[in-house]
Amino acid sequence: MTHSNVSARYVDNERLIALNASHAAFRRDLTKMARVATVANFRDPAHRRSILNGWAVFKNQLEQHHSHEDRFIWPNLRENMANSEAAMSVLDDMESEHALIDPLLRSVDYAFEHHETADLAAVLDELNSKLGYHLTHEEHDAIPMIVEAIPEKEWKKIVSGIKKASMSGAPEFMPWVTEGATDGEVKRILSMLPPPARLIYRRVWVPKYRKVSRW
């Protein structure tokens, strides 16, 4: 996926469209954050609002992403791969890495609120480093297990559960995850939606999303 310099580490599988696109969007936002979230920009009210708007969406999407993995995906893999010590080790890593990242989000909140005294650059660098490591680790070791160990029928149940849990978030998620993507990437991502929802995406969700300045 071009918009985030995604390499061949991604498992190219239809069932992983949302997962891969989300990882690309997280990397995109981490890059933007590192560039614009400076003490100097926080002193300017317009820049500050824009940064905080971008951060609010990024944080919400990351928390939802991790919640869906912890609630729907990892438990299924644990059940299906219970006899594999290597798989259990990877899934333990996923959970521990999530636990490390969550406090970092609160640290960034604090650094943004106290930007004049907090070491903003160091906090953002730590988030970039640890989240970047986690995304790559997940792509290399956890995501391939989804294709290997979760049958299509089970995966459809997982996707159904995630959709029910996140239905109200689609107006933010879809414009966010497609931001900066190529036409081909957008078409692939939108293939997850029924045709009526694609129309709503274009006519309602995207225009509303773009009215707000982010980053």
Side-chain angles (χ1 to χ4, degrees), residues 8-24:
R9 64 176 166 265
Y10 279 97
V11 177
D12 187 15
N13 185 286
E14 288 298 314
R15 67 172 67 179
L16 301 176
I17 292 172
L19 226 168
N20 287 341
S22 294
H23 280 211

Side-chain angles (χ1 to χ4, degrees), residues 7 24 30 38-39 53 136 154 188:
S7 74
L30 285 170
T38 64
V39 173
N53 288 339
T136 300
E154 286 184 31
R188 181 174 170 85

Side-chain angles (χ1 to χ4, degrees), residues 131-156:
L131 180 55
Y133 172 83
H134 169 66
L135 295 175
T136 300
H137 187 188
E138 185 174 305
E139 290 154 7
H140 282 163
D141 297 322
I143 288 179
M145 296 193 300
I146 293 173
V147 179
E148 174 188 349
I150 302 180
E152 189 64 29
K153 188 175 181 179
E154 286 184 31
W155 181 250
K156 287 180 179 179

Side-chain angles (χ1 to χ4, degrees), residues 87-106:
M88 294 302 101
S89 177
V90 169
L91 293 171
D92 286 345
D93 287 345
M94 294 300 103
E95 293 179 2
S96 64
E97 288 166 20
H98 282 188
L100 284 174
I101 291 166
D102 289 345
L104 279 178
L105 300 181
R106 293 191 290 273

Side-chain angles (χ1 to χ4, degrees), residues 30-171:
L30 285 170
T31 299
K32 289 183 178 181
M33 202 185 316
R35 185 175 68 248
V36 304
T38 64
V39 173
N41 279 342
F42 262 83
R43 294 189 183 115
D44 177 82
H47 281 161
R48 176 184 172 86
R49 282 194 300 272
S50 182
I51 293 166
L52 292 178
N53 288 339
W55 170 247
V57 175
F58 172 86
K59 184 172 70 168
N60 180 53
Q61 293 304 325
L62 183 60
E63 288 174 340
Q64 291 297 313
H65 182 78
H66 283 178
S67 174
H68 294 157
E69 289 177 336
D70 291 339
R71 180 179 172 187
F72 297 102
I73 300 178
W74 304 153
N76 188 288
L77 285 174
R78 282 193 179 277
E79 182 176 348
N80 289 3
M81 305 190 79
N83 294 326
S84 169
E85 290 186 11
M88 294 302 101
S89 177
V90 169
L91 293 171
D92 286 345
D93 287 345
M94 294 300 103
E95 293 179 2
S96 64
E97 288 166 20
H98 282 188
L100 284 174
I101 291 166
D102 289 345
L104 279 178
L105 300 181
R106 293 191 290 273
S107 295
V108 174
D109 281 333
Y110 180 89
F112 282 168
E113 186 176 352
H114 302 87
H115 58 274
E116 293 288 2
T117 55
D119 192 341
L120 181 57
V123 173
L124 294 178
D125 184 65
E126 185 176 8
L127 175 63
N128 201 328
S129 175
K130 289 185 176 177
L131 180 55
Y133 172 83
H134 169 66
L135 295 175
T136 300
H137 187 188
E138 185 174 305
E139 290 154 7
H140 282 163
D141 297 322
I143 288 179
M145 296 193 300
I146 293 173
V147 179
E148 174 188 349
I150 302 180
E152 189 64 29
K153 188 175 181 179
E154 286 184 31
W155 181 250
K156 287 180 179 179
K157 289 182 180 179
I158 290 173
V159 171
S160 178
I162 291 174
K163 285 182 177 179
K164 288 179 182 178
S166 58
M167 186 86 64
S168 62

